[in-house]
Amino acid sequence: MSLVNAGVVVLDCAEPEKLALFYKELLDAEETGTSPDRVEIGRADGLRLAFRRDANVTPPSWPRPENSFQAHLDFLVDDLDEAERRVIALGGRPLEIRDTSGPFEERGYADPAGHSFTLCVTVPSGPKEG
């Protein structure tokens, strides 16, 4: 028997209902649980995210040269341009716009609360360079 049965990534934010709606629409997910201070979404393929209310949350500040990129979410997509249009229509914003060359293409974004995530055409397999 496994010691840990399941996990969920939890993002702290001031308004969990609004942030959950952003990701629910972006990921075609369903709301799976709600309490006054937490909203959880999921999909049949096992993807789960939760959003926890924190009235004192400070939005992430990436990218700043003095801070390294500590954590972010990667989402695999088939069409970067189409996925980008959806992110922006839902209230996300690009963090960087660049032509990525190499074994995979990716673009960075921030959700409406400032958490960073990446849309990737292929799974990155090596360390970040640059």
Side-chain angles (χ1 to χ4, degrees):
M1 176 176 231
S2 178
L3 178 63
V4 177
N5 295 315
V8 61
V9 173
V10 180
L11 299 176
D12 290 343
C13 56
E15 299 177 281
E17 302 84 2
K18 287 184 180 180
L19 195 55
L21 181 61
F22 171 83
Y23 282 103
K24 183 176 144 184
E25 295 295 321
L26 178 64
L27 302 172
D28 294 322
E30 298 293 325
E31 193 170 297
T32 59
T34 303
S35 70
D37 293 317
R38 181 178 164 128
V39 179
E40 189 169 317
I41 64 169
R43 296 191 324 198
D45 65 2
L47 177 71
R48 294 174 55 201
L49 291 174
F51 311 92
R52 183 180 68 168
R53 187 178 318 281
D54 180 347
N56 298 313
V57 71
T58 302
S61 60
W62 188 89
R64 286 192 343 203
E66 65 273 15
N67 290 339
S68 64
F69 196 30
Q70 297 297 316
H72 69 282
L73 303 170
D74 277 347
F75 297 111
L76 300 178
V77 300
D78 293 323
D79 184 326
L80 277 172
D81 293 331
E82 181 179 343
E84 178 174 75
R85 285 190 292 275
R86 187 166 186 183
V87 165
I88 292 168
L90 292 169
R93 63 181 169 82
L95 289 178
E96 58 185 58
I97 302 206
R98 62 186 169 95
D99 183 7
T100 58
S101 58
F104 60 92
E105 290 186 84
E106 65 177 30
R107 295 180 192 164
Y109 302 88
D111 66 27
H115 302 102
S116 54
F117 65 93
T118 303
L119 300 177
C120 305
V121 175
T122 329
V123 179
S125 59
K128 180 180 177 183
E129 294 183 24

